[in-house]
Amino acid sequence: MGSEELPELQERVKRVEDEVGKKIVGQRGTLRQLLVCLLCDGNALLEGNPGLAKTMMVRTVADVTDMSFSRIQSTPDLMPSDVTGTEVIREHEDGKEFVFEPGPVFANVMLADEINRATPKTQAAYLEAMEERQVTAGGETHMLPEPFFLLATQNPIDQEGTYPLPEAQSDRFMMKITFDYPSFEEEDLIVDRYTSEKERDIELDTVLSAEELQEIQEYVRGIPVADDVRAEAIRLVERTREAEDLEFGASPRASLSLVLAAKALSFMRGNNYVSESAVEKMAVPVMRHRVIVDFQAEREGVTADDAIRDLI
Amino acid sequence: MVREEVEAAVKQIRREGLKAAVLHAFVESAVVFFLALATLRLTGVEAEILGYSVVYPAASAAAVTFFFADSYLVYRRRTLEYFEEINPGVREKLRTARDAAREGESSAAAEALYREVLEDLQETSSQGFVHGRRLTVSLALVLGVGAVLMAGGTGVPGPVDLGERTLWGEPVDDDFGLAEDAEDRYTGPESGDHLLGEGGEMTEGEDELLLDLRGGGAPAPGDGGGSAGEYYDASFEDFEVDAVAAVDIYKEDAAALSPEDRRVVKEYFHSVREGG
């Protein structure tokens, strides 16, 4: 990809935002974080109260980027094979044979709704697919399509009967994106829009192909980072390990994700370099699920976001 | 190719920093030289080595030392980071391009960044490397201290009282060379008035001289006495021995004649005799 195409590709990403905006009212910051994740070829944990359009946003992004989409509602009785697929017996003229039937994980964008309701065994199946980009069934390895994104939602309330993701597994999500309640004006618009027409009636244009997205991902990885900016990102992650309010700090994987996310945000800003502000902007979504707030601080109302912001 | 251009641009920025550092150091070392000179004189340092005053060498050494030290220190501050500070528009991208070029990055994004930085550098300036206020103050100090030194050198009363010696180590000439012993000290041209004395009105000069020429005891021509030949013969013979007696003028007047006047009278008589 020549650099002459850069403005055009940046414009396409901008158009993705605009197209998604046709369905999703507000939540621009959240959407941008989600796109950052896609540009980094990363996976995201989406957290928000019910009814905040988490699923709709993911599905809409998949629609406008011309990627296949699948969704699984996680439940305690969900089995790993329900996610990855399984071997089934098929009858042919020559007889019967085992044939691998791909599960919903074989899509470009997979939404695992309420992942914390699945058992740890099933969660591990998700995470293996997310990490390895392949699944093994019946002794055979099957590659997942490229690009592949696993977007999992969590419900911060109603935790009874859930299986919270272990730290080691949540660390594999590049970002944790939180959804806030819309403002009054935004909610008014939502009510007006969806009481006068149905969601499926809103037509969306496909503005970015999966191939183009992969080209952009390659471009984003090539964005240079100044030594001191990279050093500052690493120092920021290091500080979480020594922070008074944090019992458990972020891993080196957080440093990788932070720099990469800053690159993607810089691309979306139209820059071919990573600014300090981009690193700072990405610090909270990249690290909030990788740290554990100290009990004392938590009792005083300090959240992971607060503790990280204090370190910036 | 573009990466090399960025590296060259970074080197050029560093060279500009060095130039600015040398400029600052040069002006400031001039201030140090003058201040050192004044300080040494004010403190009365009169040390000599082999008969030569060490004041100038000491001040020069201080200035040279300061020049190199200041050049180094200023150059250290006039780094690429300083250039970025004074050109905030290119700060982050220039820093990134510098690091990327050093590491040999050649991704599409890096190449685009190099081109972008080179374009931006054409619109930036390294003038900020020269600290205008500091340079102005330094120049003012050079001029001010220089003026004081010049005043001290000519003995004109100035803000610095140097006692009996100028900053150049010479005795102060308070009377501008008009003291009694000034003539002995001074060997250069003098004023015309001083040589000729006071002026006055002059009468018109004349080269005619009226003499009463008479022989000893003989009557003058027309007096009814002896003949004219006798008169002349008697007087001219004796004139060269004693012209005053020969011409019979008043003794006191003859004695007042200068040798030059006597020579004129003598020539006159010769001309009369030869003409007669």
Side-chain angles (χ1 to χ4, degrees), chain A residues 3 222 224 227-228 275-276, chain B residues 92 95 99 102-103 107 115:
Chain A
S3 59
D227 292 351
D228 58 336
S275 63
E276 288 175 18
Chain B
E92 290 187 312
R95 192 194 316 170
D99 292 347
R102 193 184 60 234
E103 290 165 14
S107 63
R115 274 189 287 274

Side-chain angles (χ1 to χ4, degrees), chain A residues 59-126:
Chain A
R59 195 169 55 230
T60 310
V61 169
D63 287 344
V64 299
T65 54
D66 194 26
M67 291 191 285
S68 56
F69 173 77
S70 65
R71 174 178 178 271
I72 298 177
Q73 177 66 48
S74 302
T75 54
D77 60 350
L78 186 72
M79 299 299 290
S81 58
D82 297 332
V83 177
T84 59
T86 188
E87 299 227 322
V88 296
I89 298 174
R90 285 241 173 98
E91 285 190 27
H92 296 284
E93 293 175 355
D94 301 335
K96 297 177 183 176
E97 67 170 349
F98 281 102
V99 176
F100 179 72
E101 185 66 32
V105 77
F106 285 85
N108 293 121
V109 179
M110 177 188 172
L111 178 65
D113 250 338
E114 298 192 89
I115 191 172
N116 54 345
R117 294 201 177 276
T119 59
K121 193 175 180 180
T122 308
Q123 287 176 0
Y126 285 130

Side-chain angles (χ1 to χ4, degrees), chain A:
Chain A
M1 180 177 61
S3 59
E4 291 76 15
E5 298 172 55
L6 173 66
E8 188 188 336
L9 290 172
Q10 284 170 332
E11 181 58 30
R12 288 199 180 192
V13 175
K14 178 74 174 59
R15 284 187 61 196
V16 170
E17 277 188 74
D18 295 340
E19 285 297 312
V20 175
K22 289 180 180 175
K23 275 197 173 181
I24 307 294
V25 178
Q27 307 280 13
R28 277 295 171 129
T30 307
L31 175 60
R32 285 178 74 84
Q33 289 177 17
L34 183 61
L35 291 176
V36 162
C37 234
L38 296 188
L39 298 185
C40 295
D41 196 16
N43 305 289
L45 196 54
L46 313 178
E47 188 174 279
N49 291 329
L52 290 179
K54 298 187 289 292
T55 305
M56 184 193 284
M57 181 183 284
V58 173
R59 195 169 55 230
T60 310
V61 169
D63 287 344
V64 299
T65 54
D66 194 26
M67 291 191 285
S68 56
F69 173 77
S70 65
R71 174 178 178 271
I72 298 177
Q73 177 66 48
S74 302
T75 54
D77 60 350
L78 186 72
M79 299 299 290
S81 58
D82 297 332
V83 177
T84 59
T86 188
E87 299 227 322
V88 296
I89 298 174
R90 285 241 173 98
E91 285 190 27
H92 296 284
E93 293 175 355
D94 301 335
K96 297 177 183 176
E97 67 170 349
F98 281 102
V99 176
F100 179 72
E101 185 66 32
V105 77
F106 285 85
N108 293 121
V109 179
M110 177 188 172
L111 178 65
D113 250 338
E114 298 192 89
I115 191 172
N116 54 345
R117 294 201 177 276
T119 59
K121 193 175 180 180
T122 308
Q123 287 176 0
Y126 285 130
L127 299 169
E128 185 187 349
M130 188 169 82
E131 192 71 16
E132 305 295 332
R133 304 293 172 103
Q134 63 183 30
V135 292
T136 304
E140 280 189 43
T141 300
H142 304 274
M143 300 301 296
L144 296 178
E146 290 285 345
F148 175 76
F149 302 105
L150 193 147
L151 305 171
T153 66
Q154 277 192 148
N155 194 334
I157 59 171
D158 192 15
Q159 297 295 308
E160 195 175 343
T162 62
Y163 303 91
L165 285 174
E167 281 73 32
Q169 294 191 351
S170 61
D171 187 41
R172 298 183 187 192
F173 286 97
M174 184 178 185
M175 281 186 182
K176 181 177 177 182
I177 302 169
T178 56
F179 285 68
D180 289 329
Y181 283 111
S183 65
F184 176 83
E185 290 74 20
E186 287 169 347
E187 196 164 344
D188 184 53
L189 193 57
I190 292 167
V191 170
D192 180 55
R193 181 178 298 177
Y194 289 104
T195 54
S196 57
E197 58 184 334
K198 290 180 180 174
E199 180 198 331
R200 59 175 174 271
D201 292 337
I202 300 174
E203 289 188 4
L204 297 175
D205 294 329
T206 301
V207 293
L208 190 70
S209 68
E211 291 72 26
E212 286 171 334
L213 181 61
Q214 285 178 296
E215 285 182 0
I216 293 174
Q217 288 173 347
E218 189 184 342
Y219 187 92
V220 164
R221 283 189 176 268
I223 290 178
V225 186
D227 292 351
D228 58 336
V229 174
R230 184 167 51 233
E232 181 52 34
I234 294 168
R235 276 195 288 271
L236 181 57
V237 174
E238 273 183 345
R239 288 201 287 273
T240 63
R241 300 165 200 160
E242 299 153 4
E244 204 171 308
D245 290 343
L246 296 176
E247 183 184 337
F248 188 79
S251 66
R253 193 181 272 147
S255 300
L256 294 172
S257 298
L258 181 56
V259 172
L260 192 54
K263 284 185 177 191
L265 182 63
S266 300
F267 172 86
M268 290 174 69
R269 288 175 171 176
N271 296 333
N272 283 308
Y273 59 93
V274 177
S275 63
E276 288 175 18
S277 70
V279 172
E280 291 171 0
K281 186 84 176 170
M282 289 292 102
V284 171
V286 165
M287 292 196 287
R288 59 163 56 119
H289 60 294
R290 292 180 157 109
V291 298
I292 297 176
V293 179
D294 178 63
F295 174 74
Q296 182 68 27
E298 192 173 15
R299 208 174 64 170
E300 292 169 0
V302 176
T303 64
D305 290 15
D306 298 332
I308 294 166
R309 281 196 195 97
D310 285 346
L311 299 175
I312 296 173

Side-chain angles (χ1 to χ4, degrees), chain B residues 155-225:
Chain B
V156 172
V160 180
D161 183 7
L162 301 175
E164 295 179 351
R165 300 185 74 81
T166 68
L167 284 169
W168 315 113
E170 296 163 351
V172 174
D173 193 4
D174 287 334
D175 60 356
F176 296 90
L178 296 179
E180 286 183 1
D181 62 342
E183 191 177 344
D184 298 334
R185 297 201 309 265
Y186 185 69
T187 57
E190 296 181 359
S191 74
D193 292 341
H194 181 60
L195 287 173
L196 298 175
E198 292 183 4
E201 290 188 6
M202 298 295 290
T203 56
E204 185 180 357
E206 55 184 55
D207 59 358
E208 292 180 2
L209 184 64
L210 178 62
L211 293 174
D212 184 9
L213 303 174
R214 286 177 292 190
D223 283 352

